[in-house]
Amino acid sequence: MRTTRLYAYRLPAGRFRPIGEPQPHAHVSTGPVEPLGPPEPVGDLIECHAAAGIQLRLLDNLWPFWDQVITSTVGFSGIRLRNARPRPEPASP
């Protein structure tokens, strides 16, 4: 994550609308949107998270954490869980 070259496009916010229930979790535009300028390098992704006060967790197994999330009062979206490794089989007694 520290060496990946990621670029951000800045887009005009007025064309985007929130979607998602019960709480919006994304913003989309139903029409073409022109970037406000050329893409800008993001830099060190871990440092960007830290500077923004965003907690970053690196987990060998996502599923115990996810089981806690879905039983909490925190708003969440699991839209990308299809990209996760499969849930491990329970250990045999």
mmCIF file of all heavy atoms in Angstrom, residues 20-70:
data_model
loop_
_atom_site.group_PDB
_atom_site.id
_atom_site.type_symbol
_atom_site.label_atom_id
_atom_site.label_comp_id
_atom_site.label_asym_id
_atom_site.label_seq_id
_atom_site.Cartn_x
_atom_site.Cartn_y
_atom_site.Cartn_z
ATOM 1 N N GLY A 20 -28.556 3.957 -1.491
ATOM 2 C CA GLY A 20 -28.379 2.958 -0.444
ATOM 3 C C GLY A 20 -29.439 3.065 0.622
ATOM 4 O O GLY A 20 -29.916 4.154 0.934
ATOM 5 N N GLU A 21 -29.836 1.945 1.155
ATOM 6 C CA GLU A 21 -30.826 1.867 2.225
ATOM 7 C C GLU A 21 -30.295 0.961 3.326
ATOM 8 O O GLU A 21 -29.636 -0.025 3.015
ATOM 9 C CB GLU A 21 -32.145 1.296 1.679
ATOM 10 C CG GLU A 21 -32.833 2.177 0.658
ATOM 11 C CD GLU A 21 -33.346 3.478 1.241
ATOM 12 O OE1 GLU A 21 -33.617 3.512 2.465
ATOM 13 O OE2 GLU A 21 -33.444 4.454 0.506
ATOM 14 N N PRO A 22 -30.539 1.238 4.581
ATOM 15 C CA PRO A 22 -31.336 2.351 5.067
ATOM 16 C C PRO A 22 -30.564 3.670 5.074
ATOM 17 O O PRO A 22 -31.150 4.725 5.070
ATOM 18 C CB PRO A 22 -31.699 1.938 6.493
ATOM 19 C CG PRO A 22 -30.566 1.068 6.928
ATOM 20 C CD PRO A 22 -30.101 0.357 5.666
ATOM 21 N N GLN A 23 -29.236 3.608 5.071
ATOM 22 C CA GLN A 23 -28.404 4.806 5.006
ATOM 23 C C GLN A 23 -27.674 4.832 3.678
ATOM 24 O O GLN A 23 -27.174 3.796 3.238
ATOM 25 C CB GLN A 23 -27.376 4.817 6.147
ATOM 26 C CG GLN A 23 -27.971 4.914 7.521
ATOM 27 C CD GLN A 23 -28.621 6.261 7.758
ATOM 28 O OE1 GLN A 23 -28.137 7.289 7.318
ATOM 29 N NE2 GLN A 23 -29.751 6.253 8.450
ATOM 30 N N PRO A 24 -27.580 5.982 3.026
ATOM 31 C CA PRO A 24 -26.793 6.037 1.789
ATOM 32 C C PRO A 24 -25.352 5.630 2.048
ATOM 33 O O PRO A 24 -24.757 6.003 3.056
ATOM 34 C CB PRO A 24 -26.868 7.506 1.384
ATOM 35 C CG PRO A 24 -28.054 8.053 2.097
ATOM 36 C CD PRO A 24 -28.178 7.267 3.364
ATOM 37 N N HIS A 25 -24.795 4.803 1.162
ATOM 38 C CA HIS A 25 -23.413 4.358 1.321
ATOM 39 C C HIS A 25 -22.579 4.621 0.077
ATOM 40 O O HIS A 25 -21.433 4.237 0.024
ATOM 41 C CB HIS A 25 -23.360 2.879 1.701
ATOM 42 C CG HIS A 25 -24.091 1.985 0.753
ATOM 43 N ND1 HIS A 25 -25.377 1.592 0.974
ATOM 44 C CD2 HIS A 25 -23.718 1.434 -0.419
ATOM 45 C CE1 HIS A 25 -25.775 0.820 -0.026
ATOM 46 N NE2 HIS A 25 -24.790 0.717 -0.883
ATOM 47 N N ALA A 26 -23.165 5.270 -0.897
ATOM 48 C CA ALA A 26 -22.424 5.606 -2.112
ATOM 49 C C ALA A 26 -23.095 6.807 -2.764
ATOM 50 O O ALA A 26 -24.245 7.143 -2.460
ATOM 51 C CB ALA A 26 -22.394 4.428 -3.071
ATOM 52 N N HIS A 27 -22.364 7.447 -3.637
ATOM 53 C CA HIS A 27 -22.906 8.530 -4.449
ATOM 54 C C HIS A 27 -22.652 8.182 -5.908
ATOM 55 O O HIS A 27 -21.548 7.767 -6.255
ATOM 56 C CB HIS A 27 -22.236 9.867 -4.100
ATOM 57 C CG HIS A 27 -22.664 10.403 -2.777
ATOM 58 N ND1 HIS A 27 -22.220 9.888 -1.581
ATOM 59 C CD2 HIS A 27 -23.515 11.391 -2.465
ATOM 60 C CE1 HIS A 27 -22.777 10.547 -0.583
ATOM 61 N NE2 HIS A 27 -23.558 11.471 -1.097
ATOM 62 N N VAL A 28 -23.669 8.333 -6.741
ATOM 63 C CA VAL A 28 -23.545 7.992 -8.155
ATOM 64 C C VAL A 28 -24.104 9.113 -9.013
ATOM 65 O O VAL A 28 -24.937 9.908 -8.575
ATOM 66 C CB VAL A 28 -24.276 6.669 -8.507
ATOM 67 C CG1 VAL A 28 -23.692 5.493 -7.751
ATOM 68 C CG2 VAL A 28 -25.756 6.787 -8.251
ATOM 69 N N SER A 29 -23.659 9.152 -10.250
ATOM 70 C CA SER A 29 -24.197 10.055 -11.258
ATOM 71 C C SER A 29 -24.813 9.197 -12.349
ATOM 72 O O SER A 29 -24.224 8.195 -12.765
ATOM 73 C CB SER A 29 -23.091 10.925 -11.843
ATOM 74 O OG SER A 29 -23.621 11.702 -12.908
ATOM 75 N N THR A 30 -25.974 9.579 -12.810
ATOM 76 C CA THR A 30 -26.623 8.825 -13.883
ATOM 77 C C THR A 30 -26.279 9.382 -15.259
ATOM 78 O O THR A 30 -26.759 8.878 -16.264
ATOM 79 C CB THR A 30 -28.149 8.821 -13.695
ATOM 80 O OG1 THR A 30 -28.613 10.175 -13.657
ATOM 81 C CG2 THR A 30 -28.530 8.087 -12.415
ATOM 82 N N GLY A 31 -25.428 10.390 -15.300
ATOM 83 C CA GLY A 31 -25.006 10.964 -16.572
ATOM 84 C C GLY A 31 -23.504 11.142 -16.611
ATOM 85 O O GLY A 31 -22.807 10.928 -15.619
ATOM 86 N N PRO A 32 -22.998 11.528 -17.774
ATOM 87 C CA PRO A 32 -21.549 11.738 -17.901
ATOM 88 C C PRO A 32 -21.057 12.856 -16.976
ATOM 89 O O PRO A 32 -21.762 13.823 -16.732
ATOM 90 C CB PRO A 32 -21.365 12.140 -19.361
ATOM 91 C CG PRO A 32 -22.651 11.841 -20.045
ATOM 92 C CD PRO A 32 -23.715 11.783 -19.012
ATOM 93 N N VAL A 33 -19.844 12.678 -16.477
ATOM 94 C CA VAL A 33 -19.222 13.665 -15.593
ATOM 95 C C VAL A 33 -17.805 13.905 -16.090
ATOM 96 O O VAL A 33 -17.055 12.957 -16.315
ATOM 97 C CB VAL A 33 -19.195 13.170 -14.131
ATOM 98 C CG1 VAL A 33 -18.512 14.182 -13.239
ATOM 99 C CG2 VAL A 33 -20.596 12.880 -13.635
ATOM 100 N N GLU A 34 -17.437 15.132 -16.253
ATOM 101 C CA GLU A 34 -16.082 15.502 -16.665
ATOM 102 C C GLU A 34 -15.238 15.821 -15.436
ATOM 103 O O GLU A 34 -15.683 16.575 -14.562
ATOM 104 C CB GLU A 34 -16.109 16.732 -17.579
ATOM 105 C CG GLU A 34 -16.757 16.494 -18.928
ATOM 106 C CD GLU A 34 -15.917 15.603 -19.825
ATOM 107 O OE1 GLU A 34 -14.675 15.667 -19.739
ATOM 108 O OE2 GLU A 34 -16.521 14.829 -20.581
ATOM 109 N N PRO A 35 -14.033 15.253 -15.320
ATOM 110 C CA PRO A 35 -13.155 15.589 -14.188
ATOM 111 C C PRO A 35 -12.862 17.087 -14.148
ATOM 112 O O PRO A 35 -12.845 17.767 -15.184
ATOM 113 C CB PRO A 35 -11.885 14.802 -14.467
ATOM 114 C CG PRO A 35 -12.265 13.748 -15.445
ATOM 115 C CD PRO A 35 -13.416 14.295 -16.238
ATOM 116 N N LEU A 36 -12.623 17.608 -12.952
ATOM 117 C CA LEU A 36 -12.304 19.023 -12.783
ATOM 118 C C LEU A 36 -10.885 19.353 -13.227
ATOM 119 O O LEU A 36 -10.544 20.518 -13.381
ATOM 120 C CB LEU A 36 -12.498 19.429 -11.324
ATOM 121 C CG LEU A 36 -13.932 19.293 -10.794
ATOM 122 C CD1 LEU A 36 -13.966 19.559 -9.293
ATOM 123 C CD2 LEU A 36 -14.866 20.236 -11.540
ATOM 124 N N GLY A 37 -10.070 18.345 -13.427
ATOM 125 C CA GLY A 37 -8.690 18.545 -13.851
ATOM 126 C C GLY A 37 -8.034 17.194 -14.073
ATOM 127 O O GLY A 37 -8.696 16.160 -14.020
ATOM 128 N N PRO A 38 -6.732 17.207 -14.292
ATOM 129 C CA PRO A 38 -6.031 15.934 -14.498
ATOM 130 C C PRO A 38 -5.986 15.131 -13.199
ATOM 131 O O PRO A 38 -6.133 15.690 -12.104
ATOM 132 C CB PRO A 38 -4.624 16.362 -14.920
ATOM 133 C CG PRO A 38 -4.463 17.733 -14.375
ATOM 134 C CD PRO A 38 -5.832 18.357 -14.365
ATOM 135 N N PRO A 39 -5.791 13.816 -13.301
ATOM 136 C CA PRO A 39 -5.687 13.010 -12.077
ATOM 137 C C PRO A 39 -4.490 13.446 -11.242
ATOM 138 O O PRO A 39 -3.463 13.853 -11.775
ATOM 139 C CB PRO A 39 -5.528 11.586 -12.598
ATOM 140 C CG PRO A 39 -5.115 11.708 -14.010
ATOM 141 C CD PRO A 39 -5.601 13.023 -14.506
ATOM 142 N N GLU A 40 -4.654 13.365 -9.914
ATOM 143 C CA GLU A 40 -3.609 13.784 -8.985
ATOM 144 C C GLU A 40 -3.093 12.565 -8.224
ATOM 145 O O GLU A 40 -3.875 11.730 -7.793
ATOM 146 C CB GLU A 40 -4.173 14.791 -7.981
ATOM 147 C CG GLU A 40 -4.788 16.014 -8.628
ATOM 148 C CD GLU A 40 -5.581 16.852 -7.631
ATOM 149 O OE1 GLU A 40 -5.506 16.572 -6.401
ATOM 150 O OE2 GLU A 40 -6.277 17.766 -8.073
ATOM 151 N N PRO A 41 -1.774 12.450 -8.035
ATOM 152 C CA PRO A 41 -1.256 11.318 -7.251
ATOM 153 C C PRO A 41 -1.730 11.405 -5.802
ATOM 154 O O PRO A 41 -1.771 12.482 -5.218
ATOM 155 C CB PRO A 41 0.256 11.460 -7.351
ATOM 156 C CG PRO A 41 0.512 12.844 -7.825
ATOM 157 C CD PRO A 41 -0.723 13.335 -8.505
ATOM 158 N N VAL A 42 -2.111 10.271 -5.238
ATOM 159 C CA VAL A 42 -2.612 10.218 -3.864
ATOM 160 C C VAL A 42 -1.462 10.127 -2.876
ATOM 161 O O VAL A 42 -1.513 10.721 -1.805
ATOM 162 C CB VAL A 42 -3.582 9.031 -3.698
ATOM 163 C CG1 VAL A 42 -3.986 8.846 -2.252
ATOM 164 C CG2 VAL A 42 -4.814 9.236 -4.572
ATOM 165 N N GLY A 43 -0.423 9.370 -3.199
ATOM 166 C CA GLY A 43 0.717 9.222 -2.296
ATOM 167 C C GLY A 43 0.588 7.977 -1.437
ATOM 168 O O GLY A 43 -0.108 7.025 -1.778
ATOM 169 N N ASP A 44 1.246 7.992 -0.300
ATOM 170 C CA ASP A 44 1.286 6.870 0.639
ATOM 171 C C ASP A 44 -0.106 6.646 1.221
ATOM 172 O O ASP A 44 -0.614 7.471 1.972
ATOM 173 C CB ASP A 44 2.303 7.191 1.737
ATOM 174 C CG ASP A 44 2.481 6.088 2.756
ATOM 175 O OD1 ASP A 44 1.498 5.396 3.084
ATOM 176 O OD2 ASP A 44 3.613 5.936 3.238
ATOM 177 N N LEU A 45 -0.743 5.520 0.882
ATOM 178 C CA LEU A 45 -2.124 5.276 1.294
ATOM 179 C C LEU A 45 -2.269 5.109 2.803
ATOM 180 O O LEU A 45 -3.265 5.537 3.388
ATOM 181 C CB LEU A 45 -2.671 4.036 0.580
ATOM 182 C CG LEU A 45 -2.755 4.155 -0.937
ATOM 183 C CD1 LEU A 45 -3.235 2.839 -1.533
ATOM 184 C CD2 LEU A 45 -3.656 5.292 -1.346
ATOM 185 N N ILE A 46 -1.281 4.519 3.447
ATOM 186 C CA ILE A 46 -1.349 4.360 4.903
ATOM 187 C C ILE A 46 -1.262 5.724 5.579
ATOM 188 O O ILE A 46 -2.020 6.023 6.508
ATOM 189 C CB ILE A 46 -0.260 3.390 5.404
ATOM 190 C CG1 ILE A 46 -0.555 1.985 4.854
ATOM 191 C CG2 ILE A 46 -0.182 3.386 6.929
ATOM 192 C CD1 ILE A 46 0.493 0.947 5.147
ATOM 193 N N GLU A 47 -0.385 6.579 5.100
ATOM 194 C CA GLU A 47 -0.273 7.932 5.654
ATOM 195 C C GLU A 47 -1.558 8.722 5.400
ATOM 196 O O GLU A 47 -2.007 9.472 6.269
ATOM 197 C CB GLU A 47 0.930 8.665 5.062
ATOM 198 C CG GLU A 47 1.080 10.086 5.544
ATOM 199 C CD GLU A 47 1.147 10.233 7.059
ATOM 200 O OE1 GLU A 47 1.740 9.377 7.727
ATOM 201 O OE2 GLU A 47 0.586 11.217 7.582
ATOM 202 N N CYS A 48 -2.170 8.558 4.252
ATOM 203 C CA CYS A 48 -3.440 9.249 3.961
ATOM 204 C C CYS A 48 -4.525 8.837 4.949
ATOM 205 O O CYS A 48 -5.289 9.679 5.426
ATOM 206 C CB CYS A 48 -3.904 8.954 2.536
ATOM 207 S SG CYS A 48 -2.931 9.741 1.253
ATOM 208 N N HIS A 49 -4.610 7.541 5.257
ATOM 209 C CA HIS A 49 -5.585 7.073 6.240
ATOM 210 C C HIS A 49 -5.295 7.693 7.611
ATOM 211 O O HIS A 49 -6.205 8.176 8.283
ATOM 212 C CB HIS A 49 -5.544 5.544 6.354
ATOM 213 C CG HIS A 49 -6.328 4.842 5.308
ATOM 214 N ND1 HIS A 49 -5.907 4.729 4.011
ATOM 215 C CD2 HIS A 49 -7.521 4.199 5.365
ATOM 216 C CE1 HIS A 49 -6.799 4.061 3.316
ATOM 217 N NE2 HIS A 49 -7.785 3.725 4.117
ATOM 218 N N ALA A 50 -4.033 7.659 8.023
ATOM 219 C CA ALA A 50 -3.661 8.194 9.337
ATOM 220 C C ALA A 50 -3.977 9.688 9.422
ATOM 221 O O ALA A 50 -4.538 10.151 10.418
ATOM 222 C CB ALA A 50 -2.180 7.942 9.606
ATOM 223 N N ALA A 51 -3.639 10.441 8.387
ATOM 224 C CA ALA A 51 -3.869 11.887 8.390
ATOM 225 C C ALA A 51 -5.361 12.217 8.456
ATOM 226 O O ALA A 51 -5.757 13.231 9.024
ATOM 227 C CB ALA A 51 -3.236 12.522 7.151
ATOM 228 N N ALA A 52 -6.195 11.358 7.882
ATOM 229 C CA ALA A 52 -7.639 11.584 7.880
ATOM 230 C C ALA A 52 -8.320 11.003 9.126
ATOM 231 O O ALA A 52 -9.532 11.135 9.284
ATOM 232 C CB ALA A 52 -8.253 10.972 6.624
ATOM 233 N N GLY A 53 -7.539 10.356 10.005
ATOM 234 C CA GLY A 53 -8.117 9.773 11.208
ATOM 235 C C GLY A 53 -8.944 8.528 10.922
ATOM 236 O O GLY A 53 -9.847 8.184 11.686
ATOM 237 N N ILE A 54 -8.632 7.833 9.829
ATOM 238 C CA ILE A 54 -9.359 6.621 9.454
ATOM 239 C C ILE A 54 -8.608 5.411 9.985
ATOM 240 O O ILE A 54 -7.419 5.247 9.725
ATOM 241 C CB ILE A 54 -9.503 6.512 7.923
ATOM 242 C CG1 ILE A 54 -10.277 7.703 7.383
ATOM 243 C CG2 ILE A 54 -10.167 5.199 7.538
ATOM 244 C CD1 ILE A 54 -10.263 7.806 5.869
ATOM 245 N N GLN A 55 -9.320 4.575 10.729
ATOM 246 C CA GLN A 55 -8.711 3.362 11.262
ATOM 247 C C GLN A 55 -8.498 2.369 10.126
ATOM 248 O O GLN A 55 -9.379 2.153 9.291
ATOM 249 C CB GLN A 55 -9.620 2.747 12.320
ATOM 250 C CG GLN A 55 -9.018 1.550 13.009
ATOM 251 C CD GLN A 55 -9.960 0.958 14.021
ATOM 252 O OE1 GLN A 55 -10.997 0.431 13.664
ATOM 253 N NE2 GLN A 55 -9.597 1.065 15.286
ATOM 254 N N LEU A 56 -7.335 1.780 10.084
ATOM 255 C CA LEU A 56 -7.003 0.787 9.070
ATOM 256 C C LEU A 56 -6.643 -0.503 9.779
ATOM 257 O O LEU A 56 -5.797 -0.514 10.664
ATOM 258 C CB LEU A 56 -5.818 1.271 8.223
ATOM 259 C CG LEU A 56 -5.333 0.340 7.129
ATOM 260 C CD1 LEU A 56 -6.410 0.128 6.076
ATOM 261 C CD2 LEU A 56 -4.072 0.885 6.494
ATOM 262 N N ARG A 57 -7.321 -1.582 9.401
ATOM 263 C CA ARG A 57 -7.041 -2.885 10.001
ATOM 264 C C ARG A 57 -6.590 -3.840 8.912
ATOM 265 O O ARG A 57 -7.201 -3.919 7.854
ATOM 266 C CB ARG A 57 -8.291 -3.466 10.655
ATOM 267 C CG ARG A 57 -8.760 -2.693 11.845
ATOM 268 C CD ARG A 57 -9.925 -3.391 12.481
ATOM 269 N NE ARG A 57 -10.462 -2.581 13.561
ATOM 270 C CZ ARG A 57 -11.241 -3.053 14.489
ATOM 271 N NH1 ARG A 57 -11.592 -4.325 14.499
ATOM 272 N NH2 ARG A 57 -11.695 -2.264 15.431
ATOM 273 N N LEU A 58 -5.521 -4.562 9.199
ATOM 274 C CA LEU A 58 -5.045 -5.618 8.315
ATOM 275 C C LEU A 58 -5.340 -6.937 9.008
ATOM 276 O O LEU A 58 -4.817 -7.211 10.088
ATOM 277 C CB LEU A 58 -3.547 -5.459 8.046
ATOM 278 C CG LEU A 58 -3.128 -4.113 7.459
ATOM 279 C CD1 LEU A 58 -1.616 -4.038 7.340
ATOM 280 C CD2 LEU A 58 -3.787 -3.874 6.126
ATOM 281 N N LEU A 59 -6.206 -7.745 8.407
ATOM 282 C CA LEU A 59 -6.682 -8.967 9.045
ATOM 283 C C LEU A 59 -6.374 -10.174 8.184
ATOM 284 O O LEU A 59 -6.597 -10.149 6.972
ATOM 285 C CB LEU A 59 -8.201 -8.892 9.257
ATOM 286 C CG LEU A 59 -8.715 -7.698 10.058
ATOM 287 C CD1 LEU A 59 -10.235 -7.629 9.986
ATOM 288 C CD2 LEU A 59 -8.261 -7.812 11.498
ATOM 289 N N ASP A 60 -5.886 -11.237 8.819
ATOM 290 C CA ASP A 60 -5.691 -12.499 8.096
ATOM 291 C C ASP A 60 -7.029 -13.140 7.758
ATOM 292 O O ASP A 60 -7.163 -13.834 6.762
ATOM 293 C CB ASP A 60 -4.858 -13.479 8.924
ATOM 294 C CG ASP A 60 -3.410 -13.039 9.054
ATOM 295 O OD1 ASP A 60 -2.924 -12.346 8.144
ATOM 296 O OD2 ASP A 60 -2.786 -13.385 10.059
ATOM 297 N N ASN A 61 -8.001 -12.940 8.637
ATOM 298 C CA ASN A 61 -9.322 -13.534 8.476
ATOM 299 C C ASN A 61 -10.361 -12.449 8.779
ATOM 300 O O ASN A 61 -10.498 -12.012 9.919
ATOM 301 C CB ASN A 61 -9.475 -14.730 9.420
ATOM 302 C CG ASN A 61 -10.812 -15.417 9.295
ATOM 303 O OD1 ASN A 61 -11.724 -14.948 8.620
ATOM 304 N ND2 ASN A 61 -10.948 -16.544 9.967
ATOM 305 N N LEU A 62 -11.083 -12.022 7.789
ATOM 306 C CA LEU A 62 -12.061 -10.945 7.914
ATOM 307 C C LEU A 62 -13.302 -11.347 8.698
ATOM 308 O O LEU A 62 -13.935 -10.516 9.342
ATOM 309 C CB LEU A 62 -12.480 -10.513 6.502
ATOM 310 C CG LEU A 62 -13.604 -9.508 6.376
ATOM 311 C CD1 LEU A 62 -13.166 -8.167 6.915
ATOM 312 C CD2 LEU A 62 -14.043 -9.390 4.933
ATOM 313 N N TRP A 63 -13.655 -12.622 8.676
ATOM 314 C CA TRP A 63 -14.978 -13.053 9.120
ATOM 315 C C TRP A 63 -15.266 -12.850 10.600
ATOM 316 O O TRP A 63 -16.398 -12.432 10.927
ATOM 317 C CB TRP A 63 -15.235 -14.476 8.656
ATOM 318 C CG TRP A 63 -15.220 -14.490 7.157
ATOM 319 C CD1 TRP A 63 -14.239 -14.987 6.347
ATOM 320 C CD2 TRP A 63 -16.180 -13.893 6.292
ATOM 321 N NE1 TRP A 63 -14.539 -14.753 5.036
ATOM 322 C CE2 TRP A 63 -15.735 -14.083 4.972
ATOM 323 C CE3 TRP A 63 -17.373 -13.218 6.498
ATOM 324 C CZ2 TRP A 63 -16.444 -13.617 3.865
ATOM 325 C CZ3 TRP A 63 -18.078 -12.759 5.389
ATOM 326 C CH2 TRP A 63 -17.623 -12.965 4.100
ATOM 327 N N PRO A 64 -14.370 -13.065 11.551
ATOM 328 C CA PRO A 64 -14.702 -12.742 12.946
ATOM 329 C C PRO A 64 -15.012 -11.249 13.139
ATOM 330 O O PRO A 64 -15.943 -10.887 13.864
ATOM 331 C CB PRO A 64 -13.452 -13.153 13.726
ATOM 332 C CG PRO A 64 -12.819 -14.216 12.882
ATOM 333 C CD PRO A 64 -13.084 -13.777 11.458
ATOM 334 N N PHE A 65 -14.257 -10.393 12.465
ATOM 335 C CA PHE A 65 -14.529 -8.946 12.541
ATOM 336 C C PHE A 65 -15.897 -8.641 11.936
ATOM 337 O O PHE A 65 -16.695 -7.898 12.517
ATOM 338 C CB PHE A 65 -13.425 -8.168 11.822
ATOM 339 C CG PHE A 65 -13.718 -6.703 11.699
ATOM 340 C CD1 PHE A 65 -13.608 -5.866 12.793
ATOM 341 C CD2 PHE A 65 -14.112 -6.161 10.484
ATOM 342 C CE1 PHE A 65 -13.890 -4.516 12.681
ATOM 343 C CE2 PHE A 65 -14.391 -4.811 10.362
ATOM 344 C CZ PHE A 65 -14.285 -3.992 11.469
ATOM 345 N N TRP A 66 -16.193 -9.211 10.775
ATOM 346 C CA TRP A 66 -17.470 -8.953 10.110
ATOM 347 C C TRP A 66 -18.644 -9.414 10.976
ATOM 348 O O TRP A 66 -19.671 -8.728 11.055
ATOM 349 C CB TRP A 66 -17.512 -9.625 8.743
ATOM 350 C CG TRP A 66 -18.789 -9.339 8.018
ATOM 351 C CD1 TRP A 66 -19.771 -10.219 7.720
ATOM 352 C CD2 TRP A 66 -19.231 -8.076 7.526
ATOM 353 N NE1 TRP A 66 -20.804 -9.581 7.075
ATOM 354 C CE2 TRP A 66 -20.492 -8.264 6.942
ATOM 355 C CE3 TRP A 66 -18.684 -6.796 7.531
ATOM 356 C CZ2 TRP A 66 -21.218 -7.226 6.364
ATOM 357 C CZ3 TRP A 66 -19.405 -5.766 6.946
ATOM 358 C CH2 TRP A 66 -20.649 -5.986 6.375
ATOM 359 N N ASP A 67 -18.499 -10.543 11.654
ATOM 360 C CA ASP A 67 -19.557 -11.034 12.530
ATOM 361 C C ASP A 67 -19.849 -10.038 13.652
ATOM 362 O O ASP A 67 -21.004 -9.888 14.078
ATOM 363 C CB ASP A 67 -19.184 -12.397 13.109
ATOM 364 C CG ASP A 67 -19.174 -13.493 12.050
ATOM 365 O OD1 ASP A 67 -19.789 -13.317 10.972
ATOM 366 O OD2 ASP A 67 -18.533 -14.532 12.290
ATOM 367 N N GLN A 68 -18.834 -9.329 14.131
ATOM 368 C CA GLN A 68 -19.041 -8.294 15.145
ATOM 369 C C GLN A 68 -19.720 -7.068 14.547
ATOM 370 O O GLN A 68 -20.590 -6.462 15.171
ATOM 371 C CB GLN A 68 -17.716 -7.893 15.777
ATOM 372 C CG GLN A 68 -17.105 -8.956 16.645
ATOM 373 C CD GLN A 68 -15.762 -8.523 17.211
ATOM 374 O OE1 GLN A 68 -15.210 -7.498 16.849
ATOM 375 N NE2 GLN A 68 -15.234 -9.329 18.123
ATOM 376 N N VAL A 69 -19.324 -6.703 13.335
ATOM 377 C CA VAL A 69 -19.898 -5.521 12.678
ATOM 378 C C VAL A 69 -21.403 -5.678 12.492
ATOM 379 O O VAL A 69 -22.182 -4.775 12.815
ATOM 380 C CB VAL A 69 -19.219 -5.262 11.316
ATOM 381 C CG1 VAL A 69 -19.978 -4.220 10.508
ATOM 382 C CG2 VAL A 69 -17.772 -4.823 11.510
ATOM 383 N N ILE A 70 -21.837 -6.827 11.961
ATOM 384 C CA ILE A 70 -23.253 -6.988 11.627
ATOM 385 C C ILE A 70 -24.156 -7.108 12.852
ATOM 386 O O ILE A 70 -25.374 -6.981 12.727
ATOM 387 C CB ILE A 70 -23.482 -8.177 10.665
ATOM 388 C CG1 ILE A 70 -23.033 -9.488 11.281
ATOM 389 C CG2 ILE A 70 -22.780 -7.917 9.340
ATOM 390 C CD1 ILE A 70 -23.328 -10.712 10.430
#
